[in-house]
Every structure is written in C-alpha cells, then in structure tokens.
Amino acid sequence: MPPETFPFLSAATPVCPPGLLARAQALPAPRVALVNAGAAVPLQGLREAADLGLARPVLVGDRERIVSAADEIGWDIAGLDLVHAPREEAGDAAAGLIREGGADAVMKGQVHTSTFLKALLPSRAGLREKDARCGHVFHITLPGSERPLFLTDAALNVEPDVETRKACLSHAVRLARLLGDDDVKAGCLSASEDVTPQIPSSGEAAEIAAWAATALEAQVQGPMAMDLILSAAAARVKGFEGPVPGDADIVLVPEITTGNALFKLMVLGMGACAGGMVMGAKVPILLTSRSQQAPDRIASAALGAILAAAGPG
Amino acid sequence: MPPETFPFLSAATPVCPPGLLARAQALPAPRVALVNAGAAVPLQGLREAADLGLARPVLVGDRERIVSAADEIGWDIAGLDLVHAPREEAGDAAAGLIREGGADAVMKGQVHTSTFLKALLPSRAGLREKDARCGHVFHITLPGSERPLFLTDAALNVEPDVETRKACLSHAVRLARLLGDDDVKAGCLSASEDVTPQIPSSGEAAEIAAWAATALEAQVQGPMAMDLILSAAAARVKGFEGPVPGDADIVLVPEITTGNALFKLMVLGMGACAGGMVMGAKVPILLTSRSQQAPDRIASAALGAILAAAGPG
C-alpha cells in the first residue's frame, strides 16, 4: 500500500515510554484473561505483552480456534492456561474467572467492544463495588517525552452525567498518582472559560472543579477550553489564572466525541502513544481500538500491570 | 516570561500559507469595518491586514478612543474612514454600514464575541437572507503544507441542529471550491463509524451525508471517527471504504466543544495556522479568538478578502 501523504498525519513513530515499561516490568506480571482469544491479532497482542513480562496469559474462548490462531502466529501455547468457552460465553467465562480470583486483568480479544463490556460491567457480572462507576482513561505520551497527559473518558461513557465524570476524574487522578505524580493537575474541558447557560458543559465543569477541591488529591480547574489547558501564555492573554494552564496532567472531557477525536488526533496527527483501560471494576480492563498499534497495546498492558499490582480502588 | 515547556505544545512557528495570501492579494482589498476599533490589539490586527493589501480599514467606534489607540501603536489614521459610534452602538453602526453598502467585510474589535454577533446576526440587523443559517469555518494549515483542512463549526453554533450543520457544511464546501478545490471531500465526525442510537451524532452524520449526495458538489461520508478521517490505513483496518479517509478537506463536527478542542490542539499542539470567519451573512465576518496569533489574523483577513470578492452566497 502506498505511504500516506495526508499533511495532518504525523510521520513520527509512536513509542511506548521506556519509563512506563520499566515500572511495569518491576512488578509481578498479572494473569491477563484474553476474551475470545481465537484470532491472530489479539493473540499476538497478548503474546507481545507476555514476552515483555507484562502479562501471564489466560486464553479464554473456543479451544479449537485458539489453537489454530496460535499456530497461525507460531506461538507455542502448550504451557499456558486455556479456559474453553464457546464464542458467546467467553465474556461470562472471563467474568467468572475474575470473580473467583483466577485473573488479575482482562483484555479484549476478537469481540465487539459493546459485547465485551456487556459481559463485564453490568452489576450481575459482580465485578464492581455497589454504585462504583467505571470510566476509560487514556495515558498519552508524545515521542521524545515520558510525560503523560491523561484523557478521560474518550472511549466508554458516551454522554456521562456529572457523577460519572467525577468518577472518571477520580480514576485518572488515581492512575497519575500511582505513576508517581504527587502534584496532579486537571482541567475540566468545555468550549469556553466562562460559565454560560448556552454551554451546559461549562457549568458542569465548574461544578466538578468545586467538588474536586475537597474530594480529590489534585488541583482541578474548569471550565477551560483546550488553549487554556495547553498553554500558560494563552491563559495569560485571557486573564485566566491558576496552576493548570500549560501544566495539565489530566483532561476531563464532557462527552465521548470530543475525547475520541482528541485522542485520535494526538495518535495520528502527533505520533502519540495511547495506552488505555477501563477503571472502576475489580480488575483493570484493557481495551484498545482495532486501529491502534503495537506501542499502544504495550502501554495498555503496562498500565494494566501497574493497576493490577495496586489492586482495586 | 519563561518559554513554555509543556510537551504537548508545538515548537513550530505558525505561518499564513503564502498561496492563500497571494490569492487574496490579487483581489481588490475589501473595506473592512472594525467594530470597536479603539484598542491597540485589534487595531494592530487590521493595520497588518491593510499593510498586506488585504483590507481597506473602516474604523467604527468612539472617535477619541480610536485616535488614542492609533497613537499608541504609531499608526497614522488621518486618511482612513472613521465612523464615530459610542461603544454600545458600534455593532449596530457596522450593521448599518453593511446594509448601506459601506463595508465589504466586518471584523471584531474590542468587544465580546457574543455582543459583536448579537449586533450582526439577528434578522433585524438585515444582514442575512431569509432562513439563511450562519456558520463559522476554520481554514487550518500546518507548517510546510499549503493544503487546508476546513473545520466547522468550532466557534459559533454551540449545539447546531442538523439543518444548521448542513448549512455549515455547505459554507465550508463553498469556501473550499472558491480556493480552487474542485474535488471536495468531507467527513461528518462522530465517535464511531457505526450508526448507533447511543450516539445521536452518528445517525445525524449519516443523515447529513445522505443529504449531501445530491445537495452539495462534494463527496461526503459519515459517520466517521477522527482516525478514519485522517488515515486511509486506519480505514482499511476497519473495513471502511470510500474517498474521504486520509484525503479529507472538511471535517464537520456535531457540536462546538469537539470542534473548539480540535482546532486549538491543531494550533497549539501542531503549529497550525487557523484563519476563520462566519459565513452566511451578506459579508464575511472575521472573528478570531483573543489567544490567536498574527498568522491566524492574517489568514482570516485573506479569507475575508477572497469571500468578499466572491460576494454573498
């Protein structure tokens, strides 16, 4: 296929930040249950994570398909845990494994995201504390820098209410602190820095920032538009003061389209590596888009190992 | 002030694309009415446009303040048109000028965007055809490339209904064609390429793309997430076919927060130059954010000159 020449595509090669990888490799490798493991691409993803010491594979799905997919990629899986389950039952089987303590993390295999999550997230799956809300958090780094920008929720909650957004922000703060950041700064994104009734996310951002002042171990400001999150100079022009502009660790978006587009522009337009996972369940749920590349999958697995070692929270 | 070191900020210097500038300079300079011209920063913006042959200034506002601001930046305005109007009447005065044919474009001066637009956009201002919908269009280019990506609506319509989004798309197609693109391709952004009831913008994107097939001189696809708009390779992975992936000229967003964040990430994170204006009124309305820089203001003025020469449409 011809190289892509679209000028808004980055020529930079994404890399999983070595510091993140090293931090994960210093921890015990979690048992990662791959749901519907019988396909070459997801199996290869888990294999890469295992080779790097980020996962001990638990292959869940149709035994025959798994063996065939392993043959296809030349992976000897004879010594690995394999839980046979028909295709439509693989998610439930993985949920059962987790409930019984047989897996420390779960990874999406050859299954639609919605089917995958429907097996894991409803209360009946038993993977969440009562009233706990799940949220997806991306850990995004650019080539040449180890400093992450966390983005939530760009993948799971479509139109999260304020309580769900608070949970997403809490998850991101927890992850940032787990990675060693003890001065976490977060911006609640809107289209404006003014609270205006025409833009409901502006008032909601102010509400979340006010709540965070006592509820979270982080400095949280909002509403802020993207210029104020990225640039202290832009904030000065607008007379917007505080610690977050130009120094943000976390961006909390109001709904999924904004987050999804931002993360994809960072990955494809800026060469970013984006590791991501669903937080808020008993174990981390590793979830990457089909169009994401190997560095993203490795970063996700590294984050999964770090969160699995920390335990539920 | 110290240089900014945030890794998500681009070190590239934005430039107004020379081809855009040359195209505008080959046309008659429009008479540009600056609303509330009595402040140094906007006056300097119009001066730069005038110096480049992109505008013949018409200064609207309090005479004393305008003279004082001109003194401040050392600009001899003795030979320029000046329409005296008290601060709160400057927008109405500019609307009157346009109705009477005394200006070919209008530019925001020292006035809040909402106040500025409230003087120009309501039907009583007489600047729109009956039922015509206005929309903001950004013309975004990256350093080293003249190829624009048009983004609409990232600045005016907060939660545009489908009809308003169709108008925004039509304005962007018209602008792209005016700039010489006779094979315009547009993507209607959502968070997914699947039409799903959980994401209303996905179904609306499909509706707009179906409408555009007969209504617009452009190839329009949607719903598409940002990866499919930017990358033909990502589209292949997902089995998404058609002309737009990796070759998009226009991105139509479902609501303002998505567009606003994308444009600001392109400007601050990728070094983009973003010229923008409101289309759909009798004359182009030049509108940049306070935190935007000189190349953005020059690109806006160049687009204004090109649109003013083409007349209303």
Side-chain angles (χ1 to χ4, degrees):
Chain A
M1 63 185 76
E4 298 197 82
T5 57
F6 194 56
F8 287 79
L9 270 183
S10 172
T13 304
V15 288
C16 174
L20 176 70
L21 194 54
R23 181 181 287 265
Q25 287 172 327
L27 298 167
R31 294 162 301 171
V32 177
L34 180 63
V35 175
N36 269 329
V41 171
L43 201 64
Q44 177 64 25
L46 182 55
R47 180 193 195 176
E48 288 163 8
D51 286 350
L52 287 165
L54 302 172
R56 285 180 287 154
V58 182
L59 308 178
V60 183
D62 182 85
R63 182 184 303 272
E64 207 168 311
R65 285 174 186 268
I66 294 172
V67 169
S68 158
D71 275 353
E72 194 181 328
I73 64 171
W75 191 18
D76 177 5
I77 59 169
L80 302 183
D81 284 347
L82 193 159
V83 178
H84 174 73
R87 185 177 182 79
E88 61 280 6
E89 292 172 21
D92 294 335
L97 259 182
I98 296 162
R99 281 195 305 270
E100 295 153 16
D104 310 304
V106 59
M107 183 185 275
K108 189 181 91 148
Q110 184 75 351
V111 51
H112 272 287
T113 299
S114 58
T115 308
F116 173 66
L117 293 175
K118 269 178 198 157
L120 302 175
L121 295 186
S123 310
R124 61 174 166 70
L127 303 188
R128 294 190 293 155
E129 301 300 324
K130 188 171 175 298
D131 297 333
R133 286 178 165 85
C134 290
H136 188 278
V137 181
F138 270 121
H139 171 284
I140 303 176
T141 46
L142 293 179
S145 170
E146 295 253 351
R147 178 172 175 162
L149 187 63
F150 298 91
L151 183 66
T152 185
D153 181 334
L156 173 63
N157 291 294
V158 172
E159 291 188 340
D161 59 19
V162 166
E163 294 307 312
T164 303
R165 268 178 265 171
K166 288 178 183 173
C168 291
L169 182 57
S170 304
H171 293 318
V173 168
R174 176 168 181 255
L175 184 56
R177 292 181 62 85
L178 271 177
L179 292 175
D181 184 349
D182 56 10
D183 182 19
V184 178
K185 299 181 178 109
C188 304
L189 189 76
S190 184
S192 165
E193 68 277 13
D194 298 318
V195 171
T196 156
Q198 284 81 40
I199 308 177
S201 63
S202 66
E204 291 160 0
E207 180 185 344
I208 293 166
W211 163 83
T214 54
L216 295 183
E217 289 184 291
Q219 303 190 69
V220 181
Q221 289 187 268
M224 306 171 71
M226 201 66 194
D227 52 339
L228 301 187
I229 287 175
L230 293 169
S231 165
R236 276 191 297 270
V237 168
K238 292 191 174 177
F240 185 93
E241 297 183 347
V244 177
D247 202 24
D249 302 297
I250 298 170
V251 178
L252 175 69
V253 299
E255 50 75 53
I256 199 171
T257 312
T258 302
N260 192 273
L262 282 176
F263 124 70
K264 285 171 173 167
L265 183 60
M266 290 181 192
V267 168
L268 290 164
M270 300 168 73
C273 172
M277 72 188 49
V278 175
M279 295 176 65
K282 282 192 178 166
V283 302
I285 299 172
L286 311 184
L287 182 64
T288 48
S289 162
R290 275 170 296 161
S291 68
Q292 290 190 257
Q293 303 298 311
D296 294 352
R297 291 193 299 266
I298 292 166
S300 291
L303 293 165
I306 291 163
L307 270 176
Chain B
M1 61 184 80
E4 298 197 81
T5 57
F6 194 55
F8 287 80
L9 270 184
S10 172
T13 304
V15 288
C16 174
L20 176 70
L21 195 54
R23 182 182 286 267
Q25 287 172 326
L27 298 168
R31 294 162 300 170
V32 177
L34 180 63
V35 175
N36 269 331
V41 171
L43 201 64
Q44 177 64 24
L46 182 55
R47 182 193 194 176
E48 288 162 9
D51 287 350
L52 288 165
L54 302 172
R56 287 179 285 153
V58 181
L59 308 177
V60 183
D62 182 85
R63 182 184 303 273
E64 207 167 310
R65 283 173 186 269
I66 294 172
V67 169
S68 158
D71 273 354
E72 194 181 327
I73 63 170
W75 191 19
D76 178 5
I77 58 168
L80 302 184
D81 285 347
L82 193 159
V83 177
H84 173 74
R87 186 176 181 78
E88 63 279 7
E89 292 171 19
D92 293 337
L97 258 182
I98 296 163
R99 281 195 305 271
E100 295 154 16
D104 309 305
V106 60
M107 183 185 276
K108 190 180 92 149
Q110 184 75 352
V111 51
H112 272 287
T113 299
S114 58
T115 309
F116 173 66
L117 293 175
K118 270 178 198 156
L120 301 175
L121 295 187
S123 308
R124 61 173 165 71
L127 303 189
R128 294 191 293 156
E129 301 300 322
K130 188 170 177 298
D131 296 333
R133 286 178 165 84
C134 290
H136 188 278
V137 181
F138 270 120
H139 170 284
I140 302 176
T141 46
L142 293 179
S145 171
E146 296 252 349
R147 178 173 174 161
L149 187 63
F150 298 90
L151 183 65
T152 186
D153 183 332
L156 173 63
N157 291 294
V158 171
E159 291 189 339
D161 60 18
V162 166
E163 294 307 312
T164 303
R165 269 178 264 171
K166 288 178 183 173
C168 291
L169 182 57
S170 304
H171 293 319
V173 169
R174 175 167 182 256
L175 183 56
R177 293 181 61 85
L178 270 177
L179 292 176
D181 184 349
D182 57 10
D183 183 19
V184 178
K185 299 182 177 106
C188 304
L189 189 77
S190 184
S192 166
E193 68 277 13
D194 298 318
V195 171
T196 158
Q198 283 80 39
I199 308 176
S201 64
S202 66
E204 291 161 0
E207 181 185 343
I208 293 166
W211 164 83
T214 55
L216 295 183
E217 288 184 290
Q219 302 190 70
V220 180
Q221 288 187 269
M224 307 171 71
M226 202 66 193
D227 51 340
L228 301 187
I229 287 174
L230 293 170
S231 164
R236 275 192 297 271
V237 168
K238 292 191 173 177
F240 185 94
E241 297 184 345
V244 177
D247 203 24
D249 302 296
I250 298 170
V251 178
L252 175 69
V253 299
E255 50 76 52
I256 198 170
T257 311
T258 302
N260 191 272
L262 283 176
F263 123 71
K264 285 171 172 167
L265 184 60
M266 290 181 191
V267 168
L268 290 164
M270 300 169 71
C273 172
M277 73 189 48
V278 175
M279 295 176 65
K282 282 194 178 165
V283 302
I285 299 173
L286 311 184
L287 182 63
T288 47
S289 160
R290 276 169 296 160
S291 68
Q292 289 190 258
Q293 303 298 312
D296 294 351
R297 290 194 299 265
I298 291 165
S300 291
L303 293 165
I306 290 162
L307 271 176

